[in-house]
Amino acid sequence: MKTVLIGVGQAGGKLTRELADFDSRMGFGAVLGAVGVNTAEADLQELPFETVLIGQDRVKGHGVGGDNELGAEVMQSDKQEVLAALEGRITAEAEAIFVVAGLGGGTGSGGAPVLVKELKRIYDVPVYALGVLPGRNEGAMYQVNAGRSLKTVAREADSLLLVDNDAFRATGESLGEGFDAINREIAQRVGLLFASGEAVEGVGESVVDSSEVINTLRSGGIAALGYASGESAENAEGNINTVMSTTRRALMTGTSLPEANEADAALLVVAGVPDKIPRKGVERARRWLEEETGSLQVRGGDFPLDSDRIASLILLGGVERSDRLEKFMARAKEAQKEAEEEAEKQEDPADAWRNDELEDLL
């Protein structure tokens, strides 16, 4: 799926860089171009593609400090600068636009919904969002920001592909190492999704193309992506169980949004050497996926890839009923309530001078 990426905010910029790097390393050619957008000048300097600094008149290149209302305002004010940077990049070859953002910060969570809405007004291709939820230990402000942003982006985008940081974080890692590792994991999954149906070496029996990705996401709302791989046998017959095993793990333990098993639509992509991908195994896994997701719209196909492994990639469309999502929204609401209560407790310094027990001198 020929795609143009727009990374908004610090997390969005870094993930966009990882996606572009993965696509380039693998030689897929699915990413047509990338642009980074931020209110913090320092975060843009490490990005190897065109960047746009917004909000200079308001925050002077120092970021919005987690204030996503301010992030939305500056994107609204400076959206023409972003659109100018995209001119010539979103050509007739582009099949989709992805706005990439961390949903917990200020610029990404505030700016992404505004930009998605504007892009949909201008372009005919689908405009998707790739949003990253903060982990539960990242602070109340990030939970509140993400809760508000998630609802808005899901409404504005053609679909919101959601990634939960807690699904990928390993124990013992520093925060920086954790985010870098998460970005690599996401880039591998989403990069393979972008590459599905592209012209790569080898011919599969039933190759997935970009229209099937778009159709799976057609219902809108929230989407998730599952992935798992296993060592390939020497022939297709020996890989029937491998395809079933990787498909089960991709759905049960490998999704970007854990516990997102019910879906309106799904797409199963089995990647590997074409001669070693068993049609019987793919079809069996597809039927199993129908039963597990409760969807009658489950597509399945191959992705020719020169590798000594077999991988199952599962795209789930319409996973709003996810238990994980409900828990996150409840957490965001609780964080919002606590923040409001804390604000009420904060005494205005001026109140200290208003004391009925002391009379004014004059």
Side-chain angles (χ1 to χ4, degrees), residues 32-333:
L32 297 177
V35 173
V37 183
N38 209 333
T39 55
E41 189 171 12
D43 293 334
L44 292 175
Q45 291 172 354
E46 59 188 43
L47 302 181
F49 36 75
E50 184 169 354
T51 59
V52 182
L53 180 63
I54 59 172
Q56 293 184 67
D57 56 332
R58 299 282 297 276
V59 297
K60 314 299 182 191
H62 297 303
V64 296
D67 184 342
N68 64 353
E69 290 187 7
L70 181 55
E73 288 172 18
V74 298
M75 180 64 81
Q76 186 67 41
S77 299
D78 294 354
K79 61 189 177 186
Q80 292 305 323
E81 293 179 35
V82 181
L83 296 174
L86 292 170
E87 254 182 61
R89 297 178 188 278
I90 304 175
T91 62
E93 194 181 2
E95 295 171 290
I97 302 168
F98 265 83
V99 175
V100 185
L103 299 183
T107 305
S109 68
V114 174
L115 185 56
V116 165
K117 185 174 183 177
E118 188 65 14
L119 291 169
K120 280 193 67 178
R121 190 179 67 82
I122 296 170
Y123 295 102
D124 291 330
V125 297
V127 178
Y128 302 120
L130 172 56
V132 182
L133 288 178
R136 62 176 64 245
N137 62 344
E138 288 182 47
M141 178 187 72
Y142 295 98
Q143 313 297 321
V144 175
N145 281 354
R148 297 176 70 191
S149 184
L150 191 157
K151 290 177 70 174
T152 314
V153 177
R155 185 182 68 232
E156 298 296 343
D158 285 300
S159 186
L160 166 59
L161 180 54
L162 206 54
V163 176
D164 185 344
N165 264 348
D166 284 339
F168 295 97
R169 181 163 291 132
T171 55
E173 288 178 322
S174 71
L175 205 57
E177 289 171 341
F179 288 144
D180 289 342
I182 289 167
N183 283 346
R184 288 192 293 273
E185 292 277 354
I186 299 168
Q188 182 184 37
R189 289 157 167 75
V190 179
L192 285 172
L193 178 68
F194 289 164
S196 296
E198 290 300 316
V200 292
E201 191 176 336
V203 179
E205 289 189 43
S206 177
V207 177
V208 171
D209 64 26
S210 56
S211 67
E212 291 177 272
V213 176
I214 292 168
N215 284 332
T216 304
L217 297 174
R218 195 174 296 282
S219 63
I222 310 293
L225 196 58
Y227 174 84
S229 70
E231 193 171 333
S232 174
E234 289 302 312
N235 54 55
E237 193 69 24
N239 279 326
I240 293 175
N241 287 338
T242 305
V243 169
M244 282 300 301
S245 171
T246 55
T247 301
R248 284 195 181 100
R249 284 191 289 119
L251 182 67
M252 296 303 188
T253 61
T255 61
S256 62
L257 185 65
E259 302 166 30
N261 294 345
E262 289 183 50
D264 293 335
L267 172 65
L268 169 64
V269 181
V270 178
V273 175
D275 293 342
K276 297 180 181 179
I277 297 177
R279 287 305 317 150
K280 190 186 294 184
V282 174
E283 181 53 29
R284 190 182 294 177
R286 190 195 66 78
R287 289 200 303 269
W288 176 84
L289 198 54
E290 274 186 351
E291 293 173 8
E292 288 297 318
T293 60
S295 171
L296 298 177
Q297 299 181 61
V298 179
R299 303 164 178 85
D302 312 345
F303 177 38
L305 191 64
D306 185 14
S307 172
D308 59 358
R309 299 181 73 79
I310 292 284
S312 291
L313 186 73
I314 299 174
L315 177 64
L316 301 170
V319 294
E320 292 81 8
R321 297 180 296 279
S322 156
D323 290 342
R324 185 68 158 248
L325 204 51
E326 287 181 14
K327 289 173 188 172
F328 175 80
M329 293 305 290
R331 201 161 74 230
K333 288 176 187 173

